[in-house]
């Protein structure tokens, strides 16, 4: 699926790492999941990630309805859908580790969609939050050793990178600095 999951064998053909696993490596992976299940800090990080993803989903919804950005609404709504997918991925990670469903935390201070916003400032703040979240997921990816969880975190990380590029484009198109 992702480049780090593939290894070349002697014939030069790619082979999925999951195909190469033997019983002992699978047992070690389960031990890593058991360790993560006991790690309160990891569980807090997942809760924080879920909260931040919900907040970003709201941001994209508000941006897609902001007057100066109406022609960029399809791209912003796609980013909003990515955030919804991201919430599901975080819940999958939690389920993989804990064996139970994760409750969605309430978003603190939810913003009203009918309030008028300063689109330029709000877009800039959203871009900065995406930069922070990209770094957050990169660090989380590097800290986790379980391949199945790394795949999910890598997907979240690449979505954040794509959002940064898209937001840069939207910002430069709608708010050029002369």
């Amino acid at each position: 699926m992702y480049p780090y999951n593939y290894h070349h064998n002697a014939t030069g053909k790619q082979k999925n790492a999951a195909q190469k696993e033997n019983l002992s490596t699978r047992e070690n992976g389960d031990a890593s999941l058991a360790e993560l299940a006991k790690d309160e800090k990891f569980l807090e990080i997942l809760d924080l990630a879920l909260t931040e993803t919900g907040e970003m989903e709201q941001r994209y919804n508000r941006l897609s309805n902001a007057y100066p950005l109406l022609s960029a609404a399809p791209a912003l709504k796609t980013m909003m859908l990515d955030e919804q997918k991201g919430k599901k991925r975080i819940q999958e990670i939690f389920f993989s580790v804990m064996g139970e469903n994760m409750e969605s935390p309430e978003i603190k201070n939810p913003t009203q969609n009918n309030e008028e916003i300063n689109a330029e400032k709000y877009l800039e703040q959203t871009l900065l939050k995406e930069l922070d979240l990209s770094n957050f997921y990169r660090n989380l990816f590097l800290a986790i050793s379980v391949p199945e969880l790394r795949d999910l975190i890598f997907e979240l990380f690449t979505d954040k990178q794509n959002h940064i590029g898209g937001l840069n484009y939207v910002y430069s198109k709608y708010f050029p600095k002369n």
Side-chain angles (χ1 to χ4, degrees), residues 67-85:
Y67 173 71
L69 303 174
L70 289 179
S71 62
L76 294 167
K77 287 184 179 184
T78 299
M79 292 179 200
M80 183 182 74
L81 293 173
D82 282 345
E83 296 300 329
Q84 291 173 357
K85 179 184 74 172

Side-chain angles (χ1 to χ4, degrees), residues 161-175:
Q161 290 178 321
N162 291 333
H163 294 176
I164 290 167
L167 290 172
N168 274 324
Y169 171 75
V170 169
Y171 190 84
S172 65
K173 181 178 179 181
Y174 292 94
F175 307 108

Side-chain angles (χ1 to χ4, degrees), residues 27 33 55 75 110-111 122 162 169:
E27 289 171 357
L33 286 175
E55 289 174 4
T111 54
Y122 202 71
N162 291 333
Y169 171 75

Side-chain angles (χ1 to χ4, degrees), residues 13-110:
K13 294 181 182 177
Q14 288 186 344
K15 195 169 195 178
N16 190 322
Q19 295 169 337
K20 292 177 63 176
E21 284 187 56
N22 59 28
L23 183 59
S24 65
T25 58
R26 287 187 193 141
E27 289 171 357
N28 289 339
D30 289 342
S32 296
L33 286 175
E35 291 171 8
L36 287 174
K38 295 176 187 172
D39 188 352
E40 288 295 321
K41 184 168 180 133
F42 176 73
L43 300 176
E44 288 174 14
I45 288 172
L46 287 181
D47 188 55
L48 174 65
L50 192 61
T51 302
E52 290 290 330
T53 302
E55 289 174 4
M56 292 305 291
E57 179 185 354
Q58 284 186 343
R59 282 184 163 274
Y60 286 122
N61 187 35
R62 292 199 69 206
L63 282 170
S64 67
N65 294 320
Y67 173 71
L69 303 174
L70 289 179
S71 62
L76 294 167
K77 287 184 179 184
T78 299
M79 292 179 200
M80 183 182 74
L81 293 173
D82 282 345
E83 296 300 329
Q84 291 173 357
K85 179 184 74 172
K87 286 196 296 190
K88 290 179 184 173
R89 296 294 180 252
I90 294 166
Q91 290 170 337
E92 283 179 49
I93 292 169
F94 185 84
F95 186 82
S96 296
V97 172
M98 299 300 293
E100 59 189 48
N101 291 326
M102 181 180 201
E103 292 182 24
S104 295
E106 287 188 32
I107 306 298
K108 296 176 185 168
N109 299 324

